[in-house]
């Protein structure tokens, strides 16, 4: 503890306080005690302090009467202290409040570690893929698997062929952080397996952990019903569990009937992942696989009642070609298409970006065609496989008050759009700035046809609710805004 006024500090702590760059300083002020000049580790200080001017009284001290002066202090040689002893002394000299503070910090860290939530278990399932289709899934030098891993954030393991001569399937294990990631990966695997086969509907066997069976079925079969109504995929669950030959864990066999991408979405919903963004070439889920990429950058709509907002996904590597140097290219595209606004979403950890298009239906569709043709032209030089651009994704943001008109009774309107335009359509539950996302996946011309159908539904509903304030329609005059490809 600090010494009281007039008392003599002692020991190494006193030496540390009294040390200066020029020698030993002396405490000054009232109550100075000449005895303080002694006892500093064997040093005697009867007179002048080296390096300090003589100012009267005690050498080097201003005006302290009655203290005799003497010859300069002689500093004896000191024997170096062993390093171990120095460390012990430093530890003993460490202030108690510092030790207490360190102890409190350690306790706080331990409490924080104890309060951390346990990490959630990864979601797993396995697909049994026909042996003659597995090469299409793996791709040349594993390129197919790599693309799926990167675009869905899932781990994919293709097991060795079974030694059983009667088995003609290969097991593909999918492991991901969330059900949405797994569903997206499953849809991509099935899509690649069926590529070039002309298959519209698949019958595929799926293995899920036995403990997940209750979640898949739901109370009274509610989950299976939800899957069937929202995706058109029918899932049958085997009654008996079976052992995983690799891990020994119990699994349950599911049989899914439906289109490849729809099966992926169905598996996501069945495993509790909600309604993910559709799995398609280049799709990326984010934020633990929840929500639609680009939703955070939905823009406020202009006053123009004919305007719509649509986000078109592009590979991130092609962003530079579409934006151009200092934004010159995207400005030209905006001028050429007539869009009120054309921009690109901010860079994220995703490998994909969105082009935001705001304007009339015709202007937005012209912009989509310009963007697509620009991307196709730049794909090779940017190192992007142009085949990923054959499937286009566009998210049409629908005012929430008109969502029911687009969905239709029990999803009848969405079903009609799928059938007429030949696309995949997913209507999200998220609401951003009072709008909901309707995601369309398919060839570009098919996507444009689906957008026309959706826009017509919006126009009809708006004409009913606000006569004379229609959206401007989407008749032949509007469709003439499309570019000739």
């Amino acid at each position: 503890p600090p010494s009281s006024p007039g008392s003599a500090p002692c020991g190494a702590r006193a030496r540390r306080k009294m040390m200066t760059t020029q020698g030993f300083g002396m405490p000054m002020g009232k109550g100075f005690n000449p005895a303080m000049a002694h006892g500093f580790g064997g040093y005697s200080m009867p007179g002048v302090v080296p390096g300090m001017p003589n100012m009267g009284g005690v050498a080097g001290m201003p005006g302290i009467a009655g203290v005799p002066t003497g010859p300069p202090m002689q500093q004896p040689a000191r024997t170096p202290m062993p390093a171990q002893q120095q460390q012990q002394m430093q530890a003993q000299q460490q202030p108690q409040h510092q030790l207490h503070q360190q102890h409190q910090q350690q306790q706080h860290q331990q409490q924080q570690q104890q309060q951390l939530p346990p990490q959630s278990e990864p979601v797993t399932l396995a697909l049994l893929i026909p042996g003659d289709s597995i090469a299409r899934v793996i791709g040349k030098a594993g390129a197919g698997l790599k693309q799926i891993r990167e675009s869905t954030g899932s781990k994919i393991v293709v097991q060795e062929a079974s030694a059983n001569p009667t088995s003609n399937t290969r097991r593909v294990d999918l492991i991901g952080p969330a059900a949405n990631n797994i569903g997206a990966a499953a849809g991509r695997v099935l899509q690649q397996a069926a590529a070039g086969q002309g298959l519209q509907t698949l019958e595929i066997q799926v293995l899920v952990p036995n403990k997940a069976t209750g979640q898949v079925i739901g109370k009274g079969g509610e989950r299976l019903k939800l899957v069937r109504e929202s995706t058109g995929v029918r899932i049958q669950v085997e009654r008996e569990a079976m052992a995983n030959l690799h891990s020994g864990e119990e699994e349950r066999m599911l049989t899914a009937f439906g289109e490849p991408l729809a099966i992926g979405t169905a598996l996501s919903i069945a495993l509790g992942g909600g309604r993910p963004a559709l799995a398609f070439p280049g799709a990326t889920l984010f934020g633990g696989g929840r929500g639609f990429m680009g939703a955070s950058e939905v823009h406020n709509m202009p006053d123009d009642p004919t305007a719509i907002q649509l986000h078109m996904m592009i590979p991130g590597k092609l962003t530079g070609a579409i934006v151009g140097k200092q934004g010159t290219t995207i400005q030209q595209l905006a001028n050429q298409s007539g869009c009120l606004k054309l921009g690109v979403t901010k860079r994220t950890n995703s490998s994909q970006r969105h082009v935001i298009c705001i304007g009339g239906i015709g202007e937005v569709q012209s912009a989509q065609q310009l963007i697509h043709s620009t991307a196709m032209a730049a794909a090779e030089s940017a190192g992007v496989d142009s085949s990923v651009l054959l499937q286009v994704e566009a998210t049409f943001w629908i005012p929430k008050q008109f969502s029911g008109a687009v969905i239709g009774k029990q999803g009848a309107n969405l079903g009609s759009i799928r059938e007429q335009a030949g696309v995949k359509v997913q209507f999200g539950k998220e609401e951003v700035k009072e709008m909901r996302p309707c995601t369309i996946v398919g060839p570009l011309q098919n996507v444009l046809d689906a957008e026309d159908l959706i826009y017509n539904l919006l126009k009809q509903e708006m004409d009913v609710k606000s006569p004379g304030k229609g959206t401007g329609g989407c008749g032949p005059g509007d469709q003439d805004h499309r570019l000739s490809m």
Side-chain angles (χ1 to χ4, degrees):
S3 58
S4 59
S7 63
C10 60
R13 186 175 177 185
R15 286 199 301 275
R16 191 167 60 253
K17 287 187 175 182
M18 305 296 291
M19 185 73 71
T20 69
T21 57
Q22 296 181 338
F24 287 97
M26 296 292 291
M28 300 169 58
K30 278 188 172 183
F32 171 75
N33 189 341
M36 292 176 65
H38 303 280
F40 290 100
Y43 295 111
S44 175
M45 300 175 61
V48 176
V49 178
M52 296 184 64
N54 191 343
M55 301 176 64
V58 178
M61 303 296 293
I64 301 179
V67 181
T69 62
M73 177 182 66
Q74 300 296 322
Q75 185 170 346
R78 301 182 64 184
T79 303
M81 184 181 296
Q84 183 176 4
Q85 187 174 356
Q86 288 181 359
Q87 293 175 357
Q88 291 176 352
M89 288 187 63
Q90 289 174 359
Q92 292 173 358
Q93 293 165 9
Q94 188 174 13
Q96 291 296 320
H97 73 276
Q98 293 184 7
L99 294 174
H100 179 65
Q101 186 177 15
Q102 291 178 0
H103 180 66
Q104 285 184 327
Q105 291 176 349
Q106 291 175 356
Q107 286 185 330
H108 181 65
Q109 291 175 355
Q110 292 175 355
Q111 291 175 355
Q112 284 186 325
Q113 292 175 354
Q114 293 173 356
Q115 294 173 0
L116 288 175
Q119 295 184 351
S120 58
E121 294 184 5
V123 181
T124 63
L125 62 79
L127 303 173
L128 299 184
I129 303 297
D132 56 359
S133 301
I134 198 67
R136 289 189 291 273
V137 175
I138 297 173
K140 187 176 181 179
L145 292 179
K146 181 181 178 181
Q147 188 181 50
I148 299 174
R149 290 190 189 105
E150 292 178 351
S151 64
T152 66
S154 302
K155 181 179 178 181
I156 305 173
V157 180
V158 179
Q159 301 294 348
E160 295 292 334
S162 173
N164 185 352
T166 62
S167 175
N168 64 344
T169 60
R170 294 281 293 275
R171 178 183 174 117
V172 179
D173 287 308
L174 308 178
I175 305 170
N180 293 54
N181 301 69
I182 290 297
R188 288 293 310 280
V189 168
L190 294 176
Q191 187 183 48
Q192 291 185 190
Q197 303 301 300
L199 299 176
Q200 295 293 326
T201 303
L202 301 179
E203 178 181 338
I204 193 74
Q205 292 179 320
V206 184
L207 294 167
V208 300
N210 190 48
K211 60 185 179 182
T213 307
Q215 184 180 43
V216 170
I217 298 173
K219 186 176 180 180
E222 289 180 352
R223 180 77 61 151
L224 293 178
K225 182 180 179 182
L226 172 63
V227 167
R228 185 171 61 253
E229 291 179 349
S230 58
T231 67
V233 174
R234 184 163 53 91
I235 296 179
Q236 295 179 348
V237 182
E238 296 292 332
R239 292 182 178 275
E240 300 296 329
M242 57 193 304
N244 183 330
L245 298 179
H246 301 280
S247 65
E249 296 182 0
E250 286 192 335
E251 296 178 320
R252 193 72 70 93
M253 175 81 75
L254 311 179
T255 303
F257 305 86
E259 298 174 345
L261 294 178
I263 290 176
T265 302
L267 292 174
S268 172
I269 296 174
L271 292 171
R275 299 171 184 266
L278 292 175
F280 67 99
T284 300
L285 298 171
F286 71 103
R290 299 188 64 179
F292 286 80
M293 190 173 69
S296 61
E297 296 197 47
V298 175
H299 288 239
N300 292 320
M301 294 299 293
D303 294 334
D304 185 355
T306 68
I308 65 170
Q309 181 167 176
L310 186 137
H311 294 188
M312 183 179 184
M313 185 176 281
I314 58 170
K317 290 183 178 180
L318 298 178
T319 306
I322 292 170
V323 174
K325 189 175 182 179
Q326 297 182 343
T328 55
T329 302
I330 199 165
Q331 184 62 53
Q332 291 174 358
L333 297 178
N335 293 338
Q336 189 174 349
S337 65
C339 272
L340 296 175
K341 178 165 186 172
L342 208 60
V344 179
T345 55
K346 296 177 183 177
R347 186 189 303 274
T348 65
N349 293 331
S350 169
S351 61
Q352 310 294 325
R353 303 280 285 276
H354 275 99
V355 180
I356 303 169
C357 310
I358 299 178
I361 181 68
E363 289 80 5
V364 167
Q365 290 185 335
S366 294
Q368 287 176 270
Q369 294 178 88
L370 290 168
I371 293 164
H372 188 260
S373 60
T374 303
M376 290 291 287
E380 184 176 354
S381 59
V384 175
D385 185 357
S386 59
S387 64
V388 303
L389 299 173
L390 298 179
Q391 292 283 309
V392 173
E393 185 210 24
T395 301
F396 197 141
W397 288 91
I398 309 295
K400 67 177 184 179
Q401 65 267 32
F402 303 129
S403 299
V406 175
I407 297 172
K409 188 175 182 180
Q410 297 182 344
N413 289 346
L414 291 181
S416 178
I417 293 169
R418 294 186 184 104
E419 184 177 349
Q420 292 184 54
V423 294
K424 311 296 180 187
V425 181
Q426 180 79 39
F427 207 100
K429 289 185 176 180
E430 297 93 330
E431 287 187 12
V432 183
K433 296 186 177 179
E434 298 188 346
M435 292 185 288
R436 292 175 60 184
C438 181
T439 303
I440 312 163
V441 179
L444 177 61
Q445 295 301 325
N446 299 55
V447 169
L448 297 177
D449 290 340
E451 291 169 4
D452 285 339
L453 294 171
I454 293 172
Y455 188 76
N456 282 332
L457 291 171
L458 288 175
K459 177 183 180 299
Q460 293 170 12
E461 186 69 9
M462 292 181 73
D463 286 346
V464 170
K465 293 187 176 182
S466 303
K469 297 182 180 181
T471 59
C474 187
D478 293 297
Q479 294 184 21
D480 286 344
H481 285 277
R482 292 194 192 180
L483 302 176
S484 299
M485 300 297 287

